[in-house]
Amino acid sequence: MSSGPLAEVLDGQRRADLQRAARALLKEPLLTADGPYADEFRLVRRHAVELREWFERNAGWTLRTDADAARLRKTPGTLTDPTHPAREAARSALPFTRRRYVLLCLTLAVLERGESQVALGRLAEQVVLAAADPELVAAGITFTLERRDERLDLAAVVRLLLRLGVLRRVAGDEDAYVSGSGDVLYDVRRRVLAGMPASLRGPSMVEAEGFEERLEEMTAQTALDSDELRFRAIRWKLTRRLLDDPVLYYDDLTDDELAYLTRQRGFITARINELTGLVAEVRAEGIAMVDPLDDLTDVRMPEQGTHGHITLLLAGHLAQAAGPVAPAELAARVRELAAEHGGFWSKSAREPGAEPELVAQALSKLVALGLAERTEQGVVPRPALARYAVGEPVVREPGRAHGRRTSTTVQDERRT
């Protein structure tokens, strides 16, 4: 083999490894040397310089790597999206509630001040002491961990930290702690723990009082006192949203952001495609970065199973709507669908009265994917939902415009 073809093969392998490493960081921004993505962690370490430069230049995200972990400190493009909560394990696990998030922060604070090993019972005692802070009490946040539901919440927090690699289980089981029949011992991996915070400013340095204002202050960049800095901030925000959000709608952008995207759309999407393999799907209403490999998402559609089927059927119904649709109307539609498709559904989904919960689960997914939004008037379909509309076949005659594209197979995905 000549040096020319060999060089092309090696360059192709390097680009494939770089893309695999970048995708791993987007999927799991905290990778550990002995975690489920150990092979990808080694690729991140190998390509750390190039990855660090790309993320800092294009998204304003910093990448820290050492022998134990690689941490991509991501700041979201929008701070107002509550539809992708943390989960302790798989997609089916319950989402984190406000109480679980508070417990997570208290647990991290306790672990930071603690020893290299800790028992879950001892950790719980220290969390209770930390929760006695007067400001937390004044905010109505109290923990005794005497009730089973509170112990379940702490167990969920610990399992999340196990999945992230902050803790390593030495002996015991969380279920035994929850039931009061046993304890668990963990190693605390301090280097991984140190990489958990991703904010640009420590919470103790934030002076704002309101929740939204505190988020803004924690993630604020330096003063944007020049056109260059303002354009850079816009580029970062647009890139973050294209990497993280299922759909970037033009209507959600400011005039300056839309003008910049109009000028730089080809450059931005090409850079993302080169690093990640995501392909830009550009429509009149916005842009979606579609993943041909179908794994950079925490919410899937379509999806197998009863809930996936119901979600897809309701998406088709909503796509035909001319305006807001009341949840009660969607529940009635589920009852109609049960008569037609119930033979393929689980028994619980066919029971009378199950419709509101089925609608709520479907809407949570559609809203998370940017396909619908809840308003006071009802559920409003968003433009990207049109791809799930099911219509009559269109006969295309020569010289006539094509009918509306319909599809039930293409996915909108959220990069995590």
Side-chain angles (χ1 to χ4, degrees), residues 293-335:
L293 300 182
D294 186 28
D295 67 351
L296 284 185
T297 181
D298 60 348
V299 180
R300 292 184 181 277
M301 183 173 172
E303 189 174 42
Q304 295 182 348
T306 297
H307 294 297
H309 190 201
I310 292 173
T311 301
L312 191 60
L313 292 171
L314 287 182
H317 177 72
L318 280 169
Q320 305 289 347
V325 180
E329 178 183 334
L330 294 176
R333 180 57 180 159
V334 170
R335 285 193 293 273

Coordinates of all heavy atoms in Angstrom, one line a residue, residues 293-335:
L293 N -27.2 8.0 13.6 CA -26.9 6.9 14.4 C -27.9 6.6 15.5 O -27.9 5.6 16.1 CB -25.5 7.0 15.0 CG -24.3 7.2 14.0 CD1 -23.0 7.3 14.8 CD2 -24.3 6.0 13.0
D294 N -28.8 7.6 15.8 CA -29.9 7.4 16.7 C -29.5 7.0 18.1 O -30.1 6.1 18.7 CB -30.9 6.3 16.1 CG -32.2 6.2 16.9 OD1 -32.6 7.2 17.5 OD2 -32.7 5.1 16.9
D295 N -28.5 7.7 18.7 CA -28.2 7.4 20.1 C -27.9 8.6 20.9 O -27.7 8.5 22.1 CB -27.1 6.4 20.2 CG -25.8 6.9 19.7 OD1 -25.7 8.0 19.2 OD2 -24.7 6.3 19.9
L296 N -27.9 9.8 20.3 CA -27.7 11.0 21.1 C -29.0 11.6 21.6 O -29.3 12.7 21.2 CB -26.9 12.0 20.2 CG -25.4 11.7 20.1 CD1 -24.7 12.9 19.3 CD2 -24.7 11.5 21.4
T297 N -29.7 10.9 22.4 CA -31.0 11.4 22.8 C -31.3 10.8 24.2 O -30.9 9.7 24.5 CB -32.1 11.1 21.8 OG1 -33.3 11.6 22.3 CG2 -32.2 9.6 21.6
D298 N -32.1 11.5 25.0 CA -32.6 11.0 26.2 C -34.1 10.8 26.1 O -34.8 10.3 27.0 CB -32.3 11.9 27.4 CG -32.9 13.3 27.3 OD1 -33.3 13.6 26.1 OD2 -32.9 14.0 28.2
V299 N -34.7 11.2 25.0 CA -36.2 11.0 24.7 C -36.3 10.5 23.3 O -35.9 11.1 22.3 CB -37.0 12.3 24.9 CG1 -38.4 12.0 24.6 CG2 -36.8 12.8 26.3
R300 N -36.9 9.3 23.1 CA -37.1 8.7 21.8 C -38.5 8.8 21.3 O -39.5 8.7 22.0 CB -36.7 7.3 21.8 CG -35.2 7.1 22.0 CD -34.8 5.6 21.9 NE -33.4 5.4 22.2 CZ -32.5 5.5 21.3 NH1 -32.8 5.9 20.0 NH2 -31.2 5.3 21.5
M301 N -38.6 9.0 20.0 CA -39.9 9.0 19.3 C -39.6 8.7 17.8 O -38.9 9.5 17.2 CB -40.7 10.3 19.5 CG -42.0 10.3 18.8 SD -43.0 11.7 19.3 CE -44.4 11.5 18.2
P302 N -40.3 7.7 17.2 CA -41.2 6.8 17.9 C -40.5 5.8 18.8 O -39.2 5.7 18.7 CB -41.8 6.0 16.7 CG -40.9 6.3 15.5 CD -40.1 7.5 15.8
E303 N -41.2 5.2 19.7 CA -40.7 4.2 20.6 C -41.6 3.0 20.8 O -42.8 3.2 20.6 CB -40.5 4.9 22.0 CG -39.8 4.2 23.0 CD -39.5 5.0 24.3 OE1 -40.5 5.7 24.7 OE2 -38.4 4.9 24.8
Q304 N -41.0 1.9 21.0 CA -41.8 0.7 21.1 C -42.6 0.7 22.4 O -42.3 1.4 23.4 CB -40.9 -0.6 21.1 CG -40.3 -0.7 19.7 CD -39.4 -2.0 19.7 OE1 -39.2 -2.6 20.7 NE2 -39.0 -2.4 18.5
G305 N -43.6 -0.2 22.5 CA -44.4 -0.3 23.7 C -45.7 0.5 23.7 O -45.9 1.3 22.8
T306 N -46.5 0.3 24.7 CA -47.8 0.9 24.7 C -47.7 2.4 24.7 O -48.4 3.1 23.9 CB -48.6 0.5 26.0 OG1 -48.8 -1.0 25.9 CG2 -49.9 1.2 26.1
H307 N -46.9 3.0 25.6 CA -46.8 4.4 25.7 C -46.2 5.1 24.5 O -46.7 6.1 24.0 CB -46.0 4.8 27.0 CG -46.6 4.4 28.3 ND1 -47.8 4.9 28.7 CD2 -46.2 3.5 29.2 CE1 -48.1 4.4 29.9 NE2 -47.1 3.6 30.2
G308 N -45.3 4.4 23.9 CA -44.7 4.9 22.6 C -45.8 4.9 21.5 O -45.8 5.9 20.7
H309 N -46.6 3.9 21.4 CA -47.7 3.8 20.4 C -48.7 4.9 20.6 O -49.1 5.6 19.7 CB -48.3 2.4 20.5 CG -49.2 2.2 19.3 ND1 -50.2 1.3 19.3 CD2 -49.3 2.8 18.1 CE1 -50.9 1.3 18.2 NE2 -50.3 2.2 17.4
I310 N -49.1 5.1 21.9 CA -50.1 6.1 22.2 C -49.5 7.5 21.9 O -50.2 8.4 21.3 CB -50.5 6.0 23.7 CG1 -51.3 4.7 23.9 CG2 -51.4 7.2 24.1 CD1 -51.7 4.5 25.3
T311 N -48.3 7.7 22.2 CA -47.7 9.0 21.9 C -47.7 9.3 20.4 O -48.0 10.4 20.0 CB -46.2 9.1 22.5 OG1 -46.3 8.9 23.9 CG2 -45.6 10.4 22.2
L312 N -47.3 8.3 19.6 CA -47.3 8.5 18.2 C -48.7 8.8 17.6 O -48.8 9.6 16.8 CB -46.7 7.3 17.6 CG -46.3 7.3 16.1 CD1 -45.3 8.4 15.8 CD2 -45.8 6.0 15.6
L313 N -49.7 8.1 18.1 CA -51.0 8.3 17.7 C -51.6 9.6 18.0 O -52.2 10.3 17.2 CB -52.0 7.2 18.2 CG -51.7 5.8 17.7 CD1 -52.5 4.7 18.5 CD2 -52.0 5.7 16.2
L314 N -51.3 10.1 19.2 CA -51.7 11.4 19.6 C -50.9 12.5 18.9 O -51.5 13.6 18.6 CB -51.5 11.6 21.2 CG -52.5 10.9 22.1 CD1 -52.2 11.2 23.5 CD2 -53.9 11.3 21.7
A315 N -49.7 12.2 18.5 CA -48.9 13.2 17.7 C -49.6 13.4 16.4 O -49.7 14.5 15.9 CB -47.5 12.7 17.5
G316 N -50.0 12.3 15.8 CA -50.7 12.4 14.5 C -52.0 13.2 14.6 O -52.4 13.9 13.7
H317 N -52.7 13.0 15.8 CA -54.0 13.7 16.0 C -53.7 15.2 16.2 O -54.4 16.1 15.6 CB -54.7 13.1 17.2 CG -55.9 13.9 17.6 ND1 -57.1 13.8 16.9 CD2 -56.2 14.7 18.6 CE1 -58.0 14.5 17.5 NE2 -57.5 15.1 18.5
L318 N -52.7 15.5 17.0 CA -52.4 16.9 17.2 C -51.9 17.6 16.0 O -52.1 18.8 15.8 CB -51.3 17.0 18.3 CG -51.8 16.9 19.8 CD1 -50.6 16.8 20.7 CD2 -52.7 18.1 20.1
A319 N -51.2 16.9 15.1 CA -50.6 17.5 13.9 C -51.7 18.0 13.0 O -51.4 18.9 12.1 CB -49.7 16.5 13.2
Q320 N -52.9 17.4 13.1 CA -54.0 17.9 12.3 C -54.8 19.0 12.9 O -55.7 19.6 12.2 CB -55.0 16.7 12.0 CG -54.3 15.4 11.5 CD -53.9 15.6 10.0 OE1 -54.3 16.5 9.4 NE2 -53.1 14.6 9.5
A321 N -54.5 19.4 14.1 CA -55.2 20.4 14.8 C -54.9 21.8 14.3 O -53.8 22.1 14.0 CB -55.0 20.3 16.3
A322 N -55.9 22.6 14.2 CA -55.8 24.0 13.7 C -55.5 25.0 14.9 O -55.1 26.1 14.6 CB -57.0 24.5 13.0
G323 N -55.6 24.5 16.1 CA -55.4 25.4 17.3 C -55.2 24.6 18.5 O -54.9 23.4 18.5
P324 N -55.3 25.2 19.7 CA -55.1 24.5 21.0 C -56.1 23.4 21.1 O -57.3 23.5 20.7 CB -55.4 25.6 22.0 CG -55.1 26.9 21.3 CD -55.6 26.7 19.9
V325 N -55.7 22.3 21.7 CA -56.5 21.1 22.0 C -56.5 20.9 23.5 O -55.5 20.8 24.1 CB -55.9 19.9 21.2 CG1 -56.8 18.7 21.5 CG2 -55.8 20.1 19.8
A326 N -57.7 20.8 24.0 CA -57.8 20.6 25.5 C -57.4 19.2 25.9 O -57.6 18.2 25.1 CB -59.3 20.8 25.9
P327 N -56.7 19.0 27.0 CA -56.3 17.6 27.5 C -57.5 16.7 27.5 O -57.4 15.5 27.3 CB -55.7 17.9 28.8 CG -55.2 19.3 28.8 CD -56.2 20.0 27.9
A328 N -58.7 17.2 27.9 CA -59.9 16.3 27.9 C -60.2 15.8 26.5 O -60.6 14.6 26.4 CB -61.1 17.1 28.5
E329 N -60.0 16.6 25.5 CA -60.3 16.1 24.1 C -59.2 15.0 23.8 O -59.6 14.0 23.1 CB -60.1 17.2 23.1 CG -60.3 16.8 21.7 CD -60.2 18.0 20.7 OE1 -60.4 19.1 21.1 OE2 -59.8 17.7 19.5
L330 N -58.0 15.2 24.2 CA -57.0 14.1 24.0 C -57.3 12.8 24.7 O -57.1 11.7 24.2 CB -55.6 14.6 24.4 CG -55.1 15.8 23.5 CD1 -53.7 16.3 24.1 CD2 -54.9 15.4 22.1
A331 N -57.9 13.0 26.0 CA -58.3 11.8 26.7 C -59.4 11.1 26.0 O -59.4 9.8 25.9 CB -58.7 12.2 28.1
A332 N -60.3 11.8 25.4 CA -61.4 11.2 24.7 C -60.9 10.5 23.5 O -61.4 9.4 23.1 CB -62.4 12.3 24.3
R333 N -59.8 11.1 22.8 CA -59.2 10.5 21.7 C -58.6 9.2 22.0 O -58.6 8.2 21.3 CB -58.2 11.5 21.0 CG -57.5 10.9 19.8 CD -58.5 10.5 18.7 NE -57.8 10.0 17.6 CZ -58.4 9.2 16.7 NH1 -59.6 8.9 16.8 NH2 -57.7 8.8 15.6
V334 N -57.9 9.1 23.2 CA -57.3 7.9 23.7 C -58.3 6.8 23.9 O -58.1 5.6 23.5 CB -56.5 8.1 25.0 CG1 -56.1 6.8 25.6 CG2 -55.3 9.0 24.7
R335 N -59.5 7.2 24.4 CA -60.6 6.2 24.5 C -61.0 5.6 23.2 O -61.3 4.4 23.0 CB -61.8 6.8 25.2 CG -61.6 7.0 26.7 CD -62.9 7.3 27.4 NE -63.4 8.6 27.1 CZ -63.1 9.7 27.6 NH1 -62.2 9.7 28.6 NH2 -63.6 10.9 27.2

